[in-house]
Amino acid sequence: MMQTRLSKPQEPINPAALSMPSATTEVAPDSEALNQEQQRELRVYLEQGLPLSPRPYQEIAARLNTSETQVLEQIRHWQQQSLIRRLGLVVKHRQLGYCANAMVVWDIRDQDVNRIAGQLSARPEVSLCYQRPRRLPHWTYNLFCMIHGKDREAVLKQINLLTRELGLSHINKDVLFSYKAFKQQGARYSQRKQTDDRA
């Protein structure tokens, strides 16, 4: 099971940073740049997910009528510009039997959030951890972490152990188990309607 861990609370995404830079500044000088249409298509393909292929970037390159090297250069350049932070898997954990999924919400002093988030993120049972603003007066929690498991009792034991070992017993928290998954996919930013035209 893939786990995503953050070394610090996630920062909000700046939508302006997602706009596509011009083609002339996209790739290294010794590579031929993808044109704007190819860049747009590449972004759509990446958002849809890599093809299940031994050479997924080569397959995408063929669709774009370009080379695998150009595709990789473009992605590398977007990473250098922080337009892409990382490429990862979206695991449909319920289909793997992980149906006892708990969001643990913590009310942590603001000055302690980074330190405790780092501790939680380093734990293997925590699949993601992020900070959100409090919504006072009713919602006092500001740090969230997710723990996936196959049964609730095991997940609650993990949470109790984690709480004890990290010395967080004095911190107010709540455990929210999910009941239903409505949607599970990576982030989508392209305005064009995405269709599965990869076949």
Side-chain angles (χ1 to χ4, degrees):
M1 178 177 164
M2 186 203 79
Q3 296 194 336
T4 303
R5 286 185 275 161
L6 303 175
S7 59
K8 61 180 182 179
Q10 192 172 25
E11 298 174 359
I13 295 173
N14 178 3
L18 299 173
S19 63
M20 301 293 287
S22 69
T24 56
T25 60
E26 288 296 295
V27 297
D30 57 343
S31 296
E32 185 177 338
L34 299 182
N35 63 40
Q36 290 189 353
E37 178 62 19
Q38 288 172 315
Q39 291 176 33
R40 190 180 65 80
E41 291 294 320
L42 174 57
R43 190 172 67 174
V44 171
Y45 285 134
L46 292 176
E47 290 177 0
Q48 290 176 337
L50 296 178
L52 296 176
S53 164
R55 302 286 295 270
Y57 299 106
Q58 186 179 61
E59 190 170 318
I60 290 174
R63 296 177 199 159
L64 297 174
N65 195 28
T66 187
S67 71
E68 182 183 33
T69 300
Q70 288 174 308
V71 166
L72 292 172
E73 284 288 342
Q74 183 66 64
I75 294 170
R76 188 174 300 114
H77 189 72
W78 284 339
Q79 288 178 313
Q80 289 170 350
Q81 292 185 318
S82 298
L83 296 175
I84 295 177
R85 289 186 180 177
R86 68 180 185 89
L87 298 173
L89 297 174
V90 175
V91 178
K92 298 187 183 302
H93 51 271
R94 286 178 175 270
Q95 294 178 14
L96 297 174
Y98 288 84
C99 297
N101 307 304
M103 177 69 77
V104 187
V105 293
W106 308 82
D107 178 11
I108 296 177
R109 295 190 314 169
D110 291 341
Q111 59 266 39
D112 296 332
V113 165
N114 284 343
R115 177 179 57 82
I116 294 175
Q119 292 173 335
L120 289 170
S121 299
R123 296 291 295 233
E125 63 268 43
V126 173
S127 58
L128 72 140
C129 180
Y130 54 90
Q131 182 181 12
R132 287 285 185 268
R134 293 182 173 87
R135 301 296 182 194
L136 299 175
H138 303 295
W139 186 260
T140 61
Y141 304 111
N142 60 339
L143 189 68
F144 300 37
C145 70
M146 194 79 195
I147 296 177
H148 297 283
K150 293 186 175 180
D151 67 79
R152 287 190 177 205
E153 185 177 345
V155 169
L156 289 171
K157 284 182 179 176
Q158 286 182 312
I159 293 169
N160 289 336
L161 181 64
L162 177 152
T163 301
R164 189 169 59 250
E165 290 183 352
L166 295 182
L168 305 178
S169 300
H170 63 290
I171 294 176
N172 189 29
K173 70 176 184 308
D174 206 345
V175 179
L176 311 171
F177 280 98
S178 62
Y179 289 92
K180 188 180 289 186
F182 291 99
K183 192 173 185 179
Q184 192 171 13
Q185 67 178 37
R188 303 285 170 90
Y189 302 104
S190 297
Q191 294 180 354
R192 190 191 83 168
K193 182 180 179 181
Q194 298 184 25
T195 57
D196 190 2
D197 57 355
R198 292 172 287 169

